[in-house]
Amino acid sequence: VVNPTTLTQLDIEPQSILVVHSPSGTITDFISSPPNLDATVDQLCQRYGGDSQVTVVRLKPDQFLLPGFIDTHIHASQFANMGLGYDMPLLDWLSTYTFPEEAKFLDRDYAQRMYRTAVKTLIQHGTTTAVYYGTIFTDTCCDLVDIVRQNGQRAWVGKVNMDRNSPQYYVEDTQQSLDETERFIRYVQDTTPSPLDLISSTDSATASVVSDQDDVASLPLVMPVITPRFVGSCSSKLMQGLADMAVKYQLPVQSHLSENLAEVAWVSKLHPECTSYTDVYRTYGLLNTRTVMAHGVHLEPEEIRILKEHDVGMSHCPNSNFGLCSGIAPVRQWLAEAGLNVGLGTDISGGSSPSIIDAMRQAMVASRILHMRAEHSQLPCASDSQDESPVLTVNEVLYLATMGGAQVLGWSHRLGNFAVGKVFDALICDVSDPSFESPVPVLNPVMGWTKRLEKFVYLGGSQNIASVYVQGRCIHRQSGST
Ligand code: GUN
Ligand code: FE
């Protein structure tokens, strides 16, 4: 069991047992490296009612368990554009590639086909929780919600809002944008299965084990998220109205922030009454403890202070920041100096990969570039302390991909790693391919797994994700895998 516990500490527990209660999907026991594994499994089976009540899943020798990946920023409506259009900076790219593609999502058939592809692809890559942008079209955003539920993934889903500076064929009227957002929220809430539905699907004995139904309810599989696209496409009135709605329905907010220099300059022209890009969101009430802001490449120190003050989570999207030449976010600084919560995002299709393992690699590359730049120009590094690596480490990016994401969502008490009381959102990873063998002599199993994990982060992909579990339910099994 590979378990990220703090930013720098990754616990590796060989030969361990996790007990997961069904149907709540909660971890009820975590027994690390018992002296006699088989005897302990037998005892547990007896304790929980014998073979008819218990399913035992044994990992193969080359498999390990990892918490599911959390993609904190992903446009489900941009899969067709993945790998296209990186010859343009953000604002041109939006009008040339992105808006025309998203406008197609008025068409139910097209939208359902693309959304199905998006959700299935992310699951195959090990994303157990995704924070989605749909488009401005409510009906097909509702379809996205249905598709996520059908596939058993955990998600926040946002109906995008845009009422200004947008093409005629892809824009809303302010009031219509607000009304449609409310309709979307109601749809998600009205179609959320109650925790009682979950429990009544099995025998009555289970009901007593689910000790706190409110707990189950507080962690719905699919939740709406208020989604003003970015300041450029949302009027002050719209932003204010959306902020009121976030309060009314107790919902999180997501948007884009300080991604590209031309965008930052444009926003300051649009809002002379505000002191910065971040200040615009603050002024119109969109910063709350469950706000997720993507990019943040060009933030000023005062903006970082405001983000910390409001406990806003940052989605670091390095693949996209490279693809659109947006810049490099100083993640080490966010973590070490500002203490911000940071998760990873693929930002498809600004990013070209659906894989959070890719996001981990790109985050490491981004931090290396910043480090080399500082070193070569003899600037002070974000981290000059002796005991801290100047670049993001394997342990750190594994943390950002799991626990970091959970912190950004305000759910780190319920998911993000393995602990009793958390939900079992997990991946069975497989490194049986000979390229994952380590030629370096290893002294003990933990050291061997450390090496393989390093290779998993640098070489791994969907081919290494054997099974995917959300809330204790297996939602994907790679073909040929048992
Ligand atoms: N800013 C506003 N909209 C978008 C989008 O769709 N992708 C990215 N990367 N940035 C944006
Ligand atoms: Fe984005």
Side-chain angles (χ1 to χ4, degrees), residues 257-261 264 295-300 303 325-328 330:
L257 171 65
S258 198
E259 176 175 1
N260 161 292
L261 286 172
V264 174
H295 305 286
V297 173
H298 304 287
L299 295 171
E300 298 291 338
E303 297 184 86
C325 280
S326 299
I328 299 179

Side-chain angles (χ1 to χ4, degrees), residues 26 51 131 145 154 186 279 292 319 328 364 378 391 401 460:
T26 307
D51 289 348
V131 181
V145 168
R154 191 185 301 285
R186 292 231 170 96
D279 188 46
V292 181
N319 188 319
I328 299 179
M364 289 195 288
Q378 299 187 329
V391 296

Side-chain angles (χ1 to χ4, degrees), residues 73-75 78 93 133 229 256 259 294-295 317 320 347-350:
H73 184 85
I74 158 96
H75 299 261
Q78 296 178 14
W93 171 82
Y133 284 60
R229 180 173 208 118
H256 296 86
E259 176 175 1
H295 305 286
C317 306
S320 170
D347 191 25
I348 285 169
S349 65

Side-chain angles (χ1 to χ4, degrees), residues 74-86 93 97 101 114 117-118 121-122 125 319 346-355:
I74 158 96
H75 299 261
S77 50
Q78 296 178 14
F79 266 66
N81 277 349
M82 250 195 302
L84 265 190
Y86 306 119
W93 171 82
Y97 291 96
E101 176 56 26
M114 294 311 296
T117 303
T121 303
L122 289 189
H125 284 82
N319 188 319
T346 58
D347 191 25
I348 285 169
S349 65
S352 57
S353 167
S355 165

